Amino acid sequence: MTSINLQGKIAVVTGVSQGLGEALAKRLVQEGCQVIACDINEEGVKNVCKDLHGIEPYALDITDYSQCEKVAREVKNKYGHIDILVANAGILLSGDIQSLSSQMFQKVVNVNLVGYFNTVKAFAPMMLQQKSGSIIQINSKSGKVGSYKNGAYASSKFGGIGLTQSLALEFAEANVRVNSICPGNLLNSPLWTNSLFKQYAKNQHTTEAAIREKYINQVPLRRSCEYEDIENMMVFLASDLSSYMTGQAINVTGGQVMH
Ligand SMILES: NC(=O)c1ccc[n+]([C@@H]2O[C@H](COP(=O)([O-])OP(=O)(O)OC[C@H]3O[C@@H](n4cnc5c(N)ncnc54)[C@H](O)[C@@H]3O)[C@@H](O)[C@H]2O)c1
């Protein structure tokens, strides 16, 4: 019988200095993986890895392909292969069309979409060569439905699903699977508590408490998405339990999005 067994797997995760990426990387360590933890914030990712076994920090800006290639080369030299790639790093700049500059729009697309492309382009050749591997992109429910005054982010995430589906077709012959996870709102993550509640309260002309209530009320299961909800889906997609799944964008949204 197939089971979840990730012991000894080599996993690369991007965007690990805080938030969801930190939680996903630590869960992979708990599952027995050797984790290559990458982030543009070198100090932050070093801090996350401090005092932990089975995880190594790497400075990496995913918008710079040459940096992705360099880290991939180092990983290849050290470990020879990779089994799991979690493309998690992302940013969000919200605003209506008037307040969002073309530069802001490009920045979001550059990290969330071009960065995803760069990450896969650099790391996938090892998987294609060994004829196995699971690539997991952290997308969003905003990759499935438009997001109010949040056009840059939604555009970048919709594009990510197009890339996931296309790469799934391209890599299937080599037995490399590519899937996206579309989380709901992680209302207890630093993205929300340090930034989004403030941004949305400002551009929707209301209070932070009203924004929280509004977002909870949109969820049929009436709670925030939590890191563990996404970790569980990641572990499933990383393992052989999902060996017949590729090109999927899976909602983990408490029922908020159903297609
Ligand atoms: N927080 C949410 O509610 C939520 C919901 C759905 C999807 N997501 C997605 O989950 C992922 C993680 O989000 P989060 O809430 O943990 O965000 P976060 O801002 O807390 O963390 C993002 C991490 O990515 C890193 N990063 C940013 N730009 C980078 C770059 N160019 N190269 C490498 N690393 C870079 C940051 O330093 C940070 O460590 C993102 O892709 C986001 O779109 C988040």
Side-chain angles (χ1 to χ4, degrees):
M1 200 175 74
T2 317
S3 65
I4 288 182
N5 181 2
L6 302 181
Q7 282 291 333
K9 301 274 187 200
I10 309 295
V12 173
V13 187
T14 65
V16 177
S17 81
Q18 63 168 38
L20 181 59
E22 176 180 357
L24 296 175
K26 286 181 172 171
R27 174 63 179 269
L28 288 170
V29 170
Q30 276 172 22
E31 297 288 335
C33 297
Q34 173 65 43
V35 175
I36 289 92
C38 307
D39 204 287
I40 192 172
N41 176 349
E42 189 172 4
E43 276 316 298
V45 72
K46 275 187 181 157
N47 246 340
V48 165
C49 298
K50 198 170 55 167
D51 305 328
L52 283 178
H53 291 292
I55 185 166
E56 263 190 300
Y58 284 81
L60 172 61
D61 176 355
I62 58 165
T63 65
D64 179 349
Y65 178 67
S66 65
Q67 289 188 32
C68 296
E69 216 183 7
K70 179 171 170 279
V71 174
R73 213 176 312 117
E74 285 170 22
V75 170
K76 187 171 186 188
N77 289 341
K78 185 155 183 187
Y79 298 102
H81 74 287
I82 66 166
D83 303 295
I84 301 159
L85 172 61
V86 182
N88 164 80
I91 60 167
L92 190 154
L93 300 173
S94 67
D96 61 23
I97 190 91
Q98 300 308 332
S99 58
L100 210 58
S101 66
S102 170
Q103 286 80 2
M104 287 162 80
F105 189 93
Q106 284 181 26
K107 185 172 179 188
V108 174
V109 171
N110 201 28
V111 177
N112 294 358
L113 183 53
V114 181
Y116 172 35
F117 170 83
N118 287 341
T119 306
V120 177
K121 185 173 167 64
F123 288 96
M126 278 184 266
M127 292 179 163
L128 297 172
Q129 201 176 17
Q130 79 212 12
K131 297 217 176 312
S132 67
S134 175
I135 298 171
I136 300 162
Q137 185 224 9
I138 303 302
N139 199 285
S140 169
K141 67 176 170 47
S142 303
K144 294 279 189 81
V145 286
S147 182
Y148 184 63
K149 295 189 178 178
N150 208 5
Y153 184 74
S155 303
S156 69
K157 292 295 187 179
F158 266 70
I161 293 180
L163 184 56
T164 290
Q165 293 184 359
S166 305
L167 294 172
L169 294 173
E170 193 174 324
F171 294 172
E173 200 183 346
N175 188 36
V176 174
R177 299 182 296 110
V178 191
N179 293 289
S180 294
I181 301 176
C182 300
N185 297 314
L186 292 148
L187 297 176
N188 301 315
S189 68
L191 182 69
W192 278 85
T193 54
N194 297 342
S195 152
L196 285 189
F197 279 122
K198 286 184 189 65
Q199 281 186 49
Y200 289 174
K202 188 171 168 220
N203 68 32
Q204 294 178 35
H205 311 291
T206 183
T207 63
E208 293 184 33
I211 295 287
R212 178 178 275 274
E213 198 184 333
K214 172 180 160 185
Y215 282 91
I216 293 279
N217 285 339
Q218 290 171 355
V219 182
L221 289 178
R222 284 288 185 276
R223 68 167 174 84
S224 166
C225 186
E226 302 295 346
Y227 294 148
E228 199 178 349
D229 299 313
I230 310 307
E231 290 169 30
N232 291 340
M233 182 51 68
M234 172 195 66
V235 165
F236 171 71
L237 288 175
S239 79
D240 289 344
L241 284 185
S242 58
S243 63
Y244 198 50
M245 292 175 66
T246 194
Q248 304 305 304
I250 301 165
N251 304 320
V252 184
T253 63
Q256 194 175 352
V257 177
M258 297 191 178
H259 71 281

